Amino acid sequence: MILSQTVEDYLKTIFKIQESGRPTTSKIASEMEVSSASVTNMMKRLADMGLLEYASYQGVELTESGRKIALEVIRHHRLLELYLKEMLGYSWDEVHEEAENLEHHISEQFEDRIAELLNEPTHDPHGDPIPSKEGDMPAGKAQKLATAPQQTDLIVRRVIDQDPELLRHLEDIGLIPGVRVLVKEQAPYEGPLTLQIEDHEQVVGRKVADSILVISYEPPR
């Protein structure tokens, strides 16, 4: 089945929303920056193609075929992000836009070459999991830094906001995937968090903390 770039973008967006809840017309419209009417028309079209199940006012759910296509596009995107950073010297705040432009146009052979060159990676520069060639998504439990318990050693696993300005800020303060962090204090009423990031202390706002996923730190054995 030959699909348009627009169709692939919709499937990718629906999959990402589906990871944390049921995709609704309004959520999809917001993510795609299009009107709700445009989303409704596309949902009917994708349902006719057998790529999702859709019912008015009940949200949508990808079929197995739709999920497979979405994961393939996501795999392309995240492999390209890592390739651009590791092999071409792009910074992590530049790779998302470039990968968006390229993800629909690479061949399966090129995808395989990139994966082999990068030693079959499991995560992109932002910590996002890279689906396998077979369409499996690496498992892993993480929570938002904003809700993490105080005085607990953590590791930054993933940054879920791709805003370049935010990424540059996080890099400046050292709050990037793989870094050890401890929540020293959480101000009440949605106030800022005081963090120990490796060897320095840093205060971050709640919005920043909401964009970062962390896991428990496990000392090496």
Side-chain angles (χ1 to χ4, degrees), residues 91-152:
S91 62
W92 78 326
D93 59 283
E94 297 174 318
V95 295
H96 179 72
E97 192 67 32
E98 288 285 10
E100 283 285 306
N101 295 329
L102 296 169
E103 65 188 23
H104 304 282
H105 307 296
I106 66 172
S107 67
E108 299 308 299
Q109 182 182 20
F110 189 65
E111 171 202 316
D112 292 342
R113 291 287 183 89
I114 291 177
E116 182 180 1
L117 183 65
L118 296 173
N119 198 27
E120 302 297 336
T122 58
H123 293 81
D124 74 6
H126 311 107
D128 295 324
I130 299 174
S132 70
K133 181 74 174 175
E134 294 72 33
D136 298 317
M137 185 70 88
K141 293 182 179 180
Q143 67 180 121
K144 288 185 176 181
L145 179 60
T147 62
Q150 297 183 54
Q151 304 302 322
T152 301

Side-chain angles (χ1 to χ4, degrees), residues 9 21 25 46 65 69 93 100 107-108 141 159 178 191-192 196 214:
D9 282 339
T25 298
L46 295 178
S65 296
I69 294 166
D93 59 283
E100 283 285 306
S107 67
E108 299 308 299
K141 293 182 179 180
V159 179
Q196 183 71 33
V214 294

